[in-house]
Structure formats: structure tokens, C-alpha cells
Amino acid sequence: MPPAKGSLRKFYPLIGAVVLFLGVIVLAVGYSSERRFIQLLTNMDAKWICAAVGLQVTTYLDSALAWRVALSSQGKRVPLLEFVQLGLAKLFTDQAVPLGGVSGALLMVHALGNRGVERAVCLGIFLLVMVSYYTGYALMVGAALIVLFVAGDMNDLLLGMAVAFGAVAIIVPGVVFWIRRHPGHKLPKFVTRLPGVPLLLQALGEASSDLIRNRRLFITVSLLQASVIILDGLTLWIMLKALGLHLGIPQAFASFVMASVVATLTISPGGLGSFEGGCVAMLHIFGVPLDAGLTATLLLRGFTFWLPMLPGMWFAHREMGWRRTHGHKT
């Protein structure tokens, strides 16, 4: 019995996320009616759904380009389509093994190693992409705060969340650079026990530092990372348009970014539940009814979270089988 209890404990975060996700839906439905949700869905404009598909395909291309540009700077070439497939595998891995993006990034490292890229270069790309992600994300949070200030909808809670995320966005790259300069210094035990930190420390010890020192490359990859967030925010705006709702692009973008901040700070697996709640609340601040906000948010999550899961699982499974097929070490 004790082993069974221990194994069940691993699923507690996922169970909590599912409960939170269902709670958000029940709460929103309580303020509306099932007939209203059906009416919103049946009146959707198909052309906006097609536009959303196009935007999401572009996010996969931009995410793949971030890795490909970094790899190309080292004189290595991998077809862009392969990086798109690996990006889907990374997305699935990040959702299945939530370690703050470390698990999916390490899958990419193994994938590049499978293709003959030196381990030090692979880990150098991993560090570059991780630090540039937080940099691009911080820029987008700053843009969302400007939108909130201009619209007059800023409050202490939103400002506090933005500051908390800003601290994380500064601390993570700061710790990376500090450890690189002090390789022999030991971190506190509670830090090394955090999810993903042992893998990160190993990567820091073996990674090549050439890429992260390349300012032009760093700026390029950071902008590609930021473009993914912008396109996801535009996808939310398109979901609202498909439902016949008229909300400005800046407001939709700010709603998406702040909901992503909520999901990041709550450390919910895949942001399940916390993102939906944050997004519905932000849209409501900008005057979107709860039922319409929930419908748009669920449609968005269908495109950004649920739809890529099946192909991502297949690509991840195929990548893990690469070693058996090609005889490479991973």
C-alpha cells in the first residue's frame, strides 16, 4: 500500500489542475446558461477559425526558427520541417512532464544529439533559448502593462503579478550567468531540489558559452520567442471575433499575457485551470461577458494546448525511438 500511495502523489498537481479547470468552467456557467454557450458556438464565423489555424502554424514556425537560427550559427543544418516536428514534441513533453520548460528543451537537446550535434553545442543552444524565452516574455509583460495603464484598468493585483513574474524573468537568467562565472560555488540544497534544477545545473556545467555571448543572435532568438506570444494573443482576439465580439487587439493581447503570467506563477501543469481562470477574468475586466470570455478562452486552448498534443505525442515517441533505429546515444 505505501508504494501505491507514493505513486499517486506524483499525480496530485495534475489532479489539482483538472479540478481547477473544471471549477472555472462551472463558475462561468453558473453566471450564464448552457443555451448561451451553444448559441455562441453555433454562430461562429468559420473564416476567423481558418485565420486562427494560420496563426498557430506560424507560431510553430517561429519557435522552430529560434532553434534553427541558433544551430545555424554553429555551422550546423537541420531542415526547418524537422524543427517544427520537434517543436510539437517539445510542447507535448513540457505538458506531460512540467518542469518549467526544462523537460521539453532537454528533449530538443537529445534530438539534436541524435542528429550528430556536439553535446556542448546542444546545451549551449538550450541555455540560449531558455534565457531568450524569459527575455522575450518579460518584454511582452511590459507591453501588456502599458496597455493596462493606458486603458485605466491597472490594479494592485495585476501589478503585483507582473512584478513577481518580472522578478522570475530577471532571476532565472541572472542565476544562469552567475553560475557560469562561479562554477565551483554550491547552491543551497532547497534550490537544487527544485524540479528541473539538477538538469539545468548539469547543462550549465557542460554548455558552450559562445552562443549566449553572441548579442545579435540573442536578440534575434528573443524576438522570435516574443513573436510566438504575440501570435497567441492575436489568436485570442480572433476567437473573440469568431464569436461576434469586438475587443481591441491590445486588450486581447494583454489578457493573454496576464493569463500566461498567472499560469506561470501558479506552476499548474500546462497552466491548466489557472490560465483559463486568469484569461476569463482579464477579458471580463475589459467588458467581455463571462460566458463569451470562457468560450473564447476554451477555443484558444483548443488550438494552443489540446490540438498539438496528439501529433506532439507521436513525434516525441518517434524521437525517443531514434536511438534504436539509428544507433545514436541520447
Side-chain angles (χ1 to χ4, degrees):
M1 293 303 296
K5 184 178 180 180
S7 61
L8 181 62
R9 189 177 294 117
K10 299 177 182 178
F11 296 96
Y12 284 173
L14 180 59
I15 295 172
V18 172
V19 171
L20 180 59
F21 173 74
L22 295 175
V24 170
I25 294 177
V26 170
L27 182 62
V29 172
Y31 281 91
S32 184
S33 65
E34 296 178 7
R35 192 173 296 177
R36 172 62 175 162
F37 282 103
I38 295 174
Q39 182 183 4
L40 286 168
L41 291 173
T42 54
N43 291 335
M44 282 196 306
D45 192 336
K47 68 181 180 183
W48 292 109
I49 301 300
C50 294
V53 172
L55 285 179
Q56 286 305 299
V57 170
T58 308
T59 63
Y60 303 142
L61 292 173
D62 283 1
S63 181
L65 276 173
W67 287 83
R68 192 169 188 262
V69 166
L71 184 61
S72 298
S73 70
Q74 301 299 297
K76 307 289 184 180
R77 296 286 180 181
V78 172
L80 181 61
L81 182 59
E82 279 198 43
F83 268 117
V84 172
Q85 295 171 358
L86 291 174
L88 289 169
K90 176 184 180 299
L91 178 62
F92 167 76
T93 306
D94 282 333
Q95 311 301 353
V97 188
L99 294 177
V102 174
S103 56
L106 288 177
L107 173 70
M108 296 288 281
V109 168
H110 290 313
L112 294 179
N114 288 339
R115 287 155 178 79
V117 182
E118 296 83 356
R119 182 173 176 82
V121 174
C122 292
L123 293 173
I125 294 174
F126 160 67
L127 289 180
L128 171 67
V129 172
M130 184 193 68
V131 175
S132 65
Y133 167 76
Y134 281 102
T135 302
Y137 207 158
L139 290 174
M140 295 301 98
V141 171
L145 288 179
I146 293 174
V147 172
L148 290 168
F149 273 119
V150 172
D153 293 309
M154 176 61 70
N155 57 48
D156 292 340
L157 177 60
L158 293 175
L159 183 60
M161 289 192 302
V163 170
F165 177 81
V168 173
I170 294 173
I171 290 172
V172 171
V175 169
V176 168
F177 289 116
W178 187 85
I179 293 176
R180 291 289 297 179
R181 293 190 177 186
H182 305 83
H185 193 87
K186 293 184 178 180
L187 293 175
K189 289 185 177 180
F190 77 91
V191 175
T192 58
R193 291 175 181 174
L194 293 175
V197 170
L199 298 174
L200 179 59
L201 293 177
Q202 181 183 0
L204 287 170
E206 301 178 32
S208 170
S209 59
D210 295 339
L211 288 93
I212 208 166
R213 291 177 180 176
N214 188 330
R215 293 184 180 179
R216 184 175 180 180
L217 178 63
F218 180 79
I219 292 173
T220 300
V221 176
S222 297
L223 291 177
L224 284 169
Q225 301 274 29
S227 70
V228 174
I229 300 172
I230 293 173
L231 291 171
D232 282 338
L234 283 174
T235 304
L236 175 60
W237 176 75
I238 284 179
M239 293 297 96
L240 292 167
K241 293 290 288 185
L243 296 173
L245 299 168
H246 302 285
L247 183 68
I249 293 178
Q251 288 78 13
F253 166 76
S255 299
F256 173 81
V257 171
M258 295 309 298
S260 299
V261 169
V262 173
T264 301
L265 296 178
T266 54
I267 320 180
S268 172
L272 196 62
S274 57
F275 176 87
E276 287 80 6
C279 193
V280 172
M282 286 300 305
L283 291 173
H284 192 60
I285 288 175
F286 289 118
V288 177
L290 288 175
D291 50 9
L294 178 62
T295 306
T297 301
L298 292 179
L299 288 171
L300 171 71
R301 290 290 268 176
F303 280 103
T304 61
F305 183 87
W306 298 108
L307 191 61
M309 290 293 278
L310 187 58
M313 179 176 63
W314 189 84
F315 287 128
H317 177 74
R318 189 185 69 170
E319 194 59 41
M320 296 307 293
W322 181 287
R323 178 177 60 179
R324 294 189 296 271
T325 304
H326 294 77
H328 290 299
K329 290 183 178 181
T330 58

